[in-house]
Amino acid sequence: MTEASPQDQGPTAALGRLGGSPLRLLQVSAEIFPLLKTGGLADIAGALPAALDADGCEVRVLLPGFPAIRAGLQHAAPIGQFTLPWGESMQVLSGDLPAVPGGGGAVRAYVLHAPGLYDRPGNPYEDSARRPYSDNHRRFAALAWGAARLARDLDPEWAPQIVHAHDWHAGLVPACLKLTAGRRVPCVFTVHNLAYQGIFSADHFGDLGLPPSAFQMDGLEFHGQISYMKAGLFYADKITTVSPTYAREIQKPEQGFGLDGLLRTRRNDLSGILNAVDSAVWNPATDAHIPRHYAVGHLAGKARCKAALQEEAGLVVRKDAPLFTVVSRLTEQKGLNLVLAGIDTIVQGGGQLLVLGSGDPELENAFRHAAQLHKGHVALRVGYDEPFAHRIFAGSDVTLVPSRFEPCGLTQMYGQLYGSLPLVRAVGGLADTVVDADLATLDDGTATGIVFASFSEADYRHAVRRALALYRQPRAWARVRQTGMQQNFSWTQAAQHYRAVYLAALPDFSRAST
Ligand code: ADP
């Protein structure tokens, strides 16, 4: 891992090499907040353009034309079309994303208009039975070909100097840019979660339009299959992931998902850049979704938010009951079996638990059962509900994120800023963003939450007991909460890091022409 090479040159050096003109960047992702979100990827894809704009980059985004994205695209107009390797014609629209109130200006977007590929209800990746769509290799190869065509000649008025591709959905982008004919444009690839890799049968290779030489170990072949994630890692000029700790973890077998060897060979091109928080969206002093605003030193509003949340969730309205909450995809990754196992510890300690999430039906049922068993003390809301998530952080005392692995994690940062102490496992970005409350950190005022080490019920339960004990010491609790609310999770530093990585990826000829 190297936070070293590109970043250490710093933004000032980067600025010098740019010669003052904005760097033209095309960002490619499958999701973007506020139009389409299934997880943290959308939050980052939504915040990064404005953050980079403030840092002197001119960012446009490329997105698949999922219904929610088509519906939200403003001033849409066709700008051109191209033919995909399997013969289908693809129209490209250009338009504006809606501006986030309090955020930057409207972001220019290119959208692939292909109803046959993208116009399906529900999840962008899976059908209603949660099976990946059988043509996902084409749906996301189209995104890569769209990026390659935009990088070269599709829009006569604008071409990027660099492309930034996110996660396996855009993993083929660097391969297309490197292996197909036309102007060479460098590509930075960001891993948001190595567990999701975009693996497809080798039978589909002919659809990708890439030379046969790509299908080998030194390429995108992965145990006889096609891996879009591996394509991204192998062909990108620079690789980033979303926290420094995760950048180290994915180079080891335990969290490398079979790609740790490749990541080790690319370690000099790999950086961990910690995700940040979009303060236009996540700020308890201005949040439009919460019943009362509040801030450090003015916390009456938080108590009102807690009472309103307890009432809304069907929990007993009690000021003195510590309210533990989860806002999460319900998957094994998130350590929710530990949360289930620790319910008794919370309830017997006088606490309450509220879970918002959807996903694994077994986890849903287990939480539903617990809510029936502990009526008034445990509650579950199944589904995806952005405004409710905001109300939860505002009303919560403890945000639980006991993940098995966690590339960065956002909810532990939202929790801190909203005065809800994160209780997390020391893994990935959770380890980078929460300071455990022990005697020393309580004494010097740096504590921001509760951190536990091993993925075991015993360690998790002990962490819950520590949270309950801290809650019973109101002055210590208030101090930890205040330190959390004052954390600086702003995008400024991350944007500078990203720009330094972009500049490090630019070949000399391109740098000279910027
Ligand atoms: P991941 O990307 O692995 O899902 P992150 O913590 O990085 O995890 O990001 C999750 C994002 O999705 C956060 O913005 C969180 O608030 C949001 N989120 C997760 N589940 C839900 C839900 N059921 N309803 C609303 N928002 C959710």
Side-chain angles (χ1 to χ4, degrees), residues 434-438 440-449 479-480 483-484 487:
V434 184
V435 177
D436 185 39
D438 61 19
T441 58
L442 284 170
D443 185 53
D444 68 16
T446 54
T448 59
R479 186 151 188 226
V480 177
T483 307
Q487 292 299 296

Side-chain angles (χ1 to χ4, degrees), residues 274 399 401 408 411-413 416 421-426 428-437 446-452 480 487 489:
L274 196 63
T399 296
V401 202
C408 180
T411 57
Q412 81 283 6
M413 293 195 265
Q416 283 174 69
L421 274 56
L423 185 158
V424 305
R425 186 170 164 245
L430 300 173
D432 294 336
T433 51
V434 184
V435 177
D436 185 39
T446 54
T448 59
I450 305 284
V451 183
F452 69 101
V480 177
Q487 292 299 296
F489 293 128

Side-chain angles (χ1 to χ4, degrees), residues 66-82:
F66 296 122
I69 288 175
R70 284 292 326 278
L73 189 69
Q74 298 168 343
H75 319 116
I79 57 139
Q81 59 182 41
F82 62 94

Side-chain angles (χ1 to χ4, degrees), residues 363-378:
L363 284 170
E364 281 182 20
N365 283 335
F367 279 113
R368 195 171 287 118
H369 180 71
Q372 281 158 2
L373 205 66
H374 301 283
K375 229 173 171 9
H377 305 281
V378 176

Side-chain angles (χ1 to χ4, degrees), residues 208-361:
L208 309 187
L210 297 175
S213 60
F215 193 73
Q216 56 166 315
M217 202 177 86
D218 283 337
L220 53 70
E221 185 262 341
F222 188 62
H223 301 292
Q225 295 182 294
I226 298 163
S227 165
Y228 280 27
M229 178 62 85
K230 188 178 172 201
L233 298 177
F234 188 83
Y235 291 107
D237 297 277
K238 297 286 174 196
I239 303 165
T240 73
T241 189
V242 289
S243 70
T245 296
Y246 193 59
R248 285 190 293 274
E249 290 170 345
I250 57 178
Q251 293 180 56
K252 296 185 190 139
E254 195 191 343
Q255 292 207 35
F257 290 95
L259 291 167
D260 45 296
L262 172 57
L263 282 156
R264 283 194 299 277
T265 67
R266 298 229 52 196
R267 63 185 173 277
N268 291 331
D269 293 316
L270 170 63
S271 319
I273 302 177
L274 196 63
N275 278 341
V277 174
D278 189 342
S279 58
V281 181
W282 296 99
N283 180 353
T286 54
D287 191 326
H289 297 302
I290 64 177
R292 286 282 190 286
H293 290 149
Y294 59 92
V296 172
H298 305 275
L299 283 161
K302 180 153 179 80
R304 299 288 294 272
C305 289
K306 176 171 172 179
L309 180 63
Q310 286 171 317
E311 193 167 344
E312 179 177 6
L315 295 166
V316 177
V317 180
R318 275 188 66 165
K319 210 160 100 180
D320 60 348
L323 176 51
F324 292 71
T325 59
V326 173
V327 176
S328 180
R329 293 182 293 118
L330 300 185
T331 65
E332 213 266 325
Q333 172 198 337
K334 300 291 182 178
L336 296 162
N337 284 315
L338 297 185
V339 176
L340 282 165
I343 286 178
D344 285 349
T345 311
I346 291 178
V347 173
Q348 283 160 16
Q352 300 177 338
L353 173 69
L354 168 60
V355 176
L356 166 65
S358 63
D360 182 341

Side-chain angles (χ1 to χ4, degrees), residues 6-17 55 496-497 499-500 503:
Q7 290 96 322
D8 285 354
Q9 296 167 23
T12 315
L15 198 67
R17 278 190 286 151
D55 204 49
Q496 288 171 356
H497 281 174
R499 201 170 67 136
L503 289 168

